[in-house]
Amino acid sequence: MAQRIRNWVRGVMRRVRSDDGMTTSEYAVGTIAACAFAAVLYKVVTSQPVMSALQSLVKEALDAKF
């Protein structure tokens, strides 16, 4: 009985450790999604309201009185 349990656990562990990786289409979709997210993030960060908010934040930090 104990041997059967050990064999079962070994089989499960082999299946869990088996990592075949992503297929080419999954890499392609992931790359496109990452590029789209980067483009949106770039547009948001370089927009005028965000730029002025960041500039005022940096100005306040540099003008801080101790």
Side-chain angles (χ1 to χ4, degrees), residues 12-36:
V12 169
M13 291 305 290
R14 261 189 243 116
R15 278 176 269 166
V16 169
R17 287 186 197 146
S18 165
D19 184 17
D20 294 336
M22 292 193 300
T23 62
T24 304
S25 61
E26 288 170 331
Y27 276 117
V29 170
T31 302
I32 290 170
C35 290

Side-chain angles (χ1 to χ4, degrees), residues 1-65:
M1 181 69 170
Q3 185 64 32
R4 286 181 64 190
I5 292 173
R6 269 182 267 173
N7 289 341
W8 179 79
V9 169
R10 284 185 190 135
V12 169
M13 291 305 290
R14 261 189 243 116
R15 278 176 269 166
V16 169
R17 287 186 197 146
S18 165
D19 184 17
D20 294 336
M22 292 193 300
T23 62
T24 304
S25 61
E26 288 170 331
Y27 276 117
V29 170
T31 302
I32 290 170
C35 290
F37 180 71
V40 169
L41 187 61
Y42 176 77
K43 281 296 200 181
V44 168
V45 170
T46 57
S47 68
Q48 189 57 40
V50 174
M51 290 291 285
S52 62
L54 287 174
Q55 286 174 347
S56 67
L57 181 70
V58 169
K59 185 177 185 235
E60 287 177 25
L62 293 175
D63 290 340
K65 295 179 181 163

